[in-house]
Amino acid sequence: MDSEIKEEIPVHEEFILCCGVETQVLKCGPWTDLINNQSGTRPKLLIFIIPGNPGFSAMYVPFAKALYSATKRRFPVWIISHAGHALAPRGKKILKSSEDPNAEEIKDIYGVRGQVEHKLAFLRTQVPKEMKLVVIGHSIGSYFSLEILKHAPELPCMLIIEELFPNDSRTSF
């Protein structure tokens, strides 16, 4: 029964030009544009998943559907790809993101620091400032999440870190 519920949850795929790079965003829930939705139906919280390497967003869809279902479909669940890790299929529309006024020129968008700046620019341009965030990071996504908190304390974030091998000393910080 539970798997049937998850199957009927639609997942909306968008490609956004963020920091000059095609970025795949997978979205569970009816809210595809939180910035321009000023209605009373706009949620007050967003669950934001930052994947581990290789940054393949689709791998996290079953988890996103389970979260969306567990929250009784009250909050959107979004998954963002890493910059440069997903290309839009031919003919797929790529949405342009407004520029982040806080963003500096990202010299190495594909490096670790650049990936953090990429996620920050996305959050600042695509998510309303007053919206609360639950940020879930997996593997390197956990590191990106910690860096987001450090470099953007103004974002109303709650952080959930998921390590792939929690008892493996190689993954401990």
Side-chain angles (χ1 to χ4, degrees):
M1 177 73 177
D2 192 35
S3 63
E4 291 173 20
I5 292 171
K6 291 177 195 162
E7 288 303 315
E8 66 188 49
I9 295 171
V11 177
H12 178 77
E13 177 187 54
E14 289 181 353
F15 282 87
I16 297 175
L17 196 61
C18 181
C19 301
V21 177
E22 291 179 22
T23 303
Q24 181 189 43
V25 183
L26 301 176
K27 301 177 176 184
C28 287
W31 309 277
T32 58
D33 182 356
L34 295 174
I35 293 287
N36 294 317
N37 179 352
Q38 299 299 322
S39 71
T41 62
R42 182 168 79 182
K44 297 187 180 344
L45 182 133
L46 168 67
I47 300 170
F48 188 70
I49 301 171
I50 302 175
N53 274 334
F56 186 56
S57 304
M59 186 176 114
Y60 296 85
V61 168
F63 177 61
K65 286 181 174 186
L67 278 174
Y68 185 66
S69 182
T71 62
K72 298 182 175 39
R73 301 178 181 219
R74 294 183 316 173
F75 308 115
V77 180
W78 291 4
I79 311 163
I80 188 169
S81 69
H82 296 321
H85 288 224
L87 294 174
R90 186 175 302 191
K92 179 82 172 176
K93 182 179 179 183
I94 299 172
L95 306 171
K96 295 207 184 243
S97 179
S98 60
E99 291 299 316
D100 176 11
N102 297 321
E104 300 172 17
E105 182 181 334
I106 301 173
K107 293 179 177 62
D108 182 14
I109 187 74
Y110 305 112
V112 173
R113 182 74 199 135
Q115 292 289 350
V116 171
E117 290 298 324
H118 171 258
K119 309 306 177 277
L120 280 170
F122 178 86
L123 289 170
R124 288 178 173 143
T125 60
Q126 300 297 312
V127 180
K129 290 177 183 11
E130 67 278 359
M131 182 163 284
K132 293 180 181 172
L133 292 167
V134 173
V135 180
I136 300 174
H138 173 243
S139 192
I140 191 70
S142 300
Y143 176 78
F144 295 161
S145 300
L146 290 169
E147 289 296 300
I148 285 169
L149 290 177
K150 185 165 56 172
H151 294 285
E154 75 280 2
L155 291 175
C157 292
M158 181 176 93
L159 180 65
I160 298 174
I161 296 176
E162 178 58 40
E163 290 189 43
L164 190 54
F165 304 106
N167 295 324
D168 186 343
S169 62
R170 292 174 296 166
T171 61
S172 300
F173 287 92

